């Protein structure tokens, strides 16, 4: 592949230099440089200039548009595009009725390759350039996902789903086959291009103690591996895990006991936690991938973001498609605001945006690579219209402050606002 061109992107540049405080709509952590040029050389951020650069730059003039780092979705299921917006079930019924049949189709190589391509292109078309992904139990689903991400230059974290009990026979593995498959996949993909492997436990109820111990051994043997799983999403799920692991103090304690609680652990949901759980997450440096759209759609519960932050827990933002109803991180930010409002809190646009950009990158240990416009970072860049449609356009016109304008964009916007997306300095999406 030839080297990416030297490009200059003009627009209203917005990123973060730190973490915004809760409720602070005038945060000093916000870095806003309206009508500036973002310079990209060899796929990385080279700098920012107020004036148009000289000769030798391929110019992309998006004056009057908002320019952000690409979004980072920290929890999403690549095979579940087929079941998004399915009616009438909570988590456990959702898995049996919708999810497992969709995932079983990935035993077919042609299907999983086509599905991976559709999924990755859909992510980018929604403004997401990096993701932490659950494929399926099938080794070929991981191969297809990583190969597609490599071809697009994307930063992707994924791994074969571990599931050896309490699941359909055609989706179960066993300890021996799981170990063999993971060794092969890690050797082939981990650390290649912009890819990283995640030991991927679906959730505690679908892995035997032997398989959870296997997952813990992989994490202990190579601390560069990520761990992703689900945690305390649904009350019925929490009760089930308690029945399966009666000796554990809590759902989180199950994972802790098998060596799965560490700084590279990504726990989706984390709704039904107590103070001891939050303290343990914070001490380990683990993160919660908050999935607001999914939590509302499946009726799982209202995540206590403020309590998690007060305890020192890292919180990132995720779509959780297909339980979530959109790959758009904007829609998920709007849902996150509503969840916090129901709990008597107010989520600023800055806190939400940070959790989907720099905050997520830092939680993943990738703050030097993605999530900001710092020199040397990968040029994963998305260009957005400030408004789409008459109502949103009028709202943007009368906004009095930057936060008011960005909050209206966040609340009223979606993938239709996306004008262009660049991955490592190459354009991968252009609405025009």
């Amino acid at each position: 592949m030839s080297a990416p061109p030297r490009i200059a992107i003009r627009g209203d540049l917005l990123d973060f230099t730190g973490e915004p405080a809760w409720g602070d709509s005038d945060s000093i952590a916000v870095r806003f440089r309206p009508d500036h040029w973002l310079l990209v050389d060899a796929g990385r951020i080279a700098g920012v200039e107020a004036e148009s650069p000289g000769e030798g730059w391929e110019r992309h003039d998006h004056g009057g548009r908002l320019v952000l780092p690409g979004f980072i979705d920290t929890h999403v299921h690549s095979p579940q595009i087929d079941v998004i917006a399915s009616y009438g079930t909570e988590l456990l019924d959702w898995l049996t009725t919708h999810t497992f049949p969709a995932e079983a189709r990935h035993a077919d190589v042609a299907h999983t390759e086509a599905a991976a391509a559709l999924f990755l292109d859909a992510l980018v078309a929604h403004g997401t350039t990096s993701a932490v992904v659950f494929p399926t139990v099938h080794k070929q689903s991981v191969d297809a996902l990583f190969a597609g991400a490599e071809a697009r230059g994307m930063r992707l974290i994924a791994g074969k789903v571990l599931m050896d009990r309490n699941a359909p026979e055609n989706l179960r593995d066993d300890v021996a086959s799981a170990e063999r498959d993971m060794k092969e996949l890690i050797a082939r993909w981990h650390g290649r291009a912009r890819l990283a492997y995640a030991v991927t436990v679906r959730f505690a109820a679908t892995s035997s103690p032997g398989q959870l111990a296997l997952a813990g051994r992989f994490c202990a043997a190579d601390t560069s591996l990520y761990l992703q799983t689900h945690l305390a999403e649904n009350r019925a799920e929490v009760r089930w895990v308690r029945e399966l692991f009666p000796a554990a103090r809590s759902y989180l304690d199950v994972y802790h006991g098998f060596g799965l609680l560490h700084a590279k652990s990504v726990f989706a949901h984390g709704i039904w936690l107590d103070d001891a759980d939050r303290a343990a997450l914070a001490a380990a440096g683990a993160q919660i991938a908050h999935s607001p759209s999914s939590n509302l759609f499946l009726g799982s519960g209202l995540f206590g973001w403020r309590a998690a932050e007060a305890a020192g827990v890292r919180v990132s933002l995720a779509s959780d498609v297909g339980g979530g109803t959109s790959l758009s991180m904007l829609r998920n930010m709007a849902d996150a605001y509503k969840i916090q409002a129901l709990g008597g809190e107010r989520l600023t646009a800055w806190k939400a945006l940070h959790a989907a950009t720099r905050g997520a990158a830092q939680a993943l240990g990738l703050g030097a690579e993605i999530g900001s416009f710092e020199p040397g970072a990968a040029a994963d860049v998305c260009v957005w219209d400030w408004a789409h449609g008459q109502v949103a356009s009028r709202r943007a016109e009368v906004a009095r402050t930057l936060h008011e304008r960005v909050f209206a964009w966040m609340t009223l916007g979606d993938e239709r606002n996306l004008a262009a997306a660049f991955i490592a300095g190459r354009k991968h999406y252009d609405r025009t």
Side-chain angles (χ1 to χ4, degrees), residues 19-22 269-271 278 288-292 295 302-318 329 332-341 343 345-357 359-360 410:
E19 182 171 1
W22 191 271
H269 305 294
I271 298 170
R278 286 186 281 267
I288 293 175
H290 175 35
S291 308
N295 297 162
L302 306 178
F303 173 63
W305 192 333
R306 186 79 182 271
E309 182 177 283
V313 180
R314 296 176 181 268
V315 178
S316 57
L317 204 64
M329 297 303 278
N332 279 280
M333 290 177 207
D335 282 344
Y337 176 85
K338 296 165 193 172
I339 286 173
Q340 297 313 305
E345 301 287 351
R346 291 294 181 266
L347 180 70
T348 65
W350 307 140
K351 179 65 72 174
L353 270 175
H354 181 265
T357 54
M410 179 188 93

Side-chain angles (χ1 to χ4, degrees), residues 247-273:
R249 191 202 69 81
S250 68
Y251 195 157
L252 179 68
D253 193 48
V254 174
Y255 295 132
H256 193 185
F258 288 103
L260 301 177
L261 175 59
H262 52 75
K264 286 186 173 288
S265 298
V266 182
F267 293 104
H269 305 294
I271 298 170
W272 304 101
L273 303 177

Side-chain angles (χ1 to χ4, degrees), residues 82-145:
D82 287 357
V83 297
I84 193 170
S86 294
Y87 171 76
T89 57
E90 290 190 2
L91 173 65
L92 299 181
D93 289 335
W94 167 271
L95 291 173
T96 301
T97 305
H98 303 298
T99 299
F100 289 156
E103 293 190 1
R105 292 195 287 273
H106 286 255
D108 179 78
V109 173
H111 175 82
T112 202
E113 289 177 348
L118 184 153
F119 169 76
L120 292 168
D121 287 342
L123 279 182
V124 178
H126 285 74
T128 295
T129 55
S130 299
V132 183
V133 186
F134 272 64
T136 73
V137 71
H138 309 100
K139 185 170 62 174
Q140 62 263 28
S141 75
V142 187
D143 284 328
L145 193 62

Side-chain angles (χ1 to χ4, degrees), residues 350-423:
W350 307 140
K351 179 65 72 174
L353 270 175
H354 181 265
T357 54
R358 189 180 185 117
Q362 291 175 330
L364 292 169
L366 299 172
E369 180 195 346
I370 54 176
S372 78
F373 292 146
E374 292 293 337
D380 298 342
V381 181
C382 288
V383 180
W384 301 86
D385 288 331
W386 278 101
H388 175 81
Q390 291 179 325
V391 172
S393 296
R394 176 57 181 167
R395 184 66 185 90
E397 288 175 6
V398 300
R400 295 164 297 176
T401 66
L402 177 61
H403 182 266
E404 187 176 350
R405 191 180 186 195
V406 174
F407 184 80
W409 167 80
M410 179 188 93
T411 306
L412 300 175
D414 57 30
E415 66 274 17
R416 292 171 293 183
N417 293 63
L418 185 67
F422 300 81
I423 299 174

Side-chain angles (χ1 to χ4, degrees), residues 41-257:
D41 191 3
R44 296 193 172 274
I45 306 298
V48 173
E49 293 185 2
E51 302 298 327
S52 178
E55 295 300 320
W57 296 89
E58 179 182 297
R59 292 171 176 79
H60 297 261
D61 193 338
H62 291 284
R65 285 176 166 154
L66 177 62
V67 180
L68 289 169
F71 289 137
I72 304 161
D73 188 340
T74 56
H75 177 67
V76 59
H77 295 259
S78 59
Q80 292 188 24
I81 296 292
D82 287 357
V83 297
I84 193 170
S86 294
Y87 171 76
T89 57
E90 290 190 2
L91 173 65
L92 299 181
D93 289 335
W94 167 271
L95 291 173
T96 301
T97 305
H98 303 298
T99 299
F100 289 156
E103 293 190 1
R105 292 195 287 273
H106 286 255
D108 179 78
V109 173
H111 175 82
T112 202
E113 289 177 348
L118 184 153
F119 169 76
L120 292 168
D121 287 342
L123 279 182
V124 178
H126 285 74
T128 295
T129 55
S130 299
V132 183
V133 186
F134 272 64
T136 73
V137 71
H138 309 100
K139 185 170 62 174
Q140 62 263 28
S141 75
V142 187
D143 284 328
L145 193 62
F146 276 141
E150 183 180 31
R152 292 162 177 79
M154 296 177 73
R155 162 55 75 179
L156 199 87
I157 299 167
K160 181 197 116 63
V161 174
L162 301 178
M163 200 158 55
D164 68 348
R165 66 170 176 170
N166 296 322
E169 184 177 354
N170 61 353
L171 284 175
R172 290 201 300 267
D173 56 7
D174 57 45
V175 172
S177 67
E179 181 173 16
R180 183 174 61 250
D181 287 350
M182 284 198 292
K183 283 181 177 178
E184 291 179 9
L185 290 165
I186 290 167
R188 182 153 57 246
W189 296 111
H190 185 56
R192 175 171 160 174
R194 300 180 69 193
L195 310 173
Y197 195 88
V199 176
T200 302
V201 176
R202 171 150 236 134
F203 68 123
T206 50
S207 282
S208 66
Q211 191 172 69
L212 292 170
L214 172 70
R217 289 197 296 274
F218 269 82
C219 290
D222 185 349
T223 57
S224 70
L225 295 174
Y226 289 87
L227 178 283
Q228 62 173 341
T229 190
H230 297 82
L231 170 67
E233 176 180 359
N234 168 279
R235 283 172 288 191
E237 168 213 13
V238 173
R239 289 193 295 270
W240 190 21
V241 170
R242 186 180 300 120
E243 293 169 1
L244 292 171
F245 299 92
R249 191 202 69 81
S250 68
Y251 195 157
L252 179 68
D253 193 48
V254 174
Y255 295 132
H256 193 185

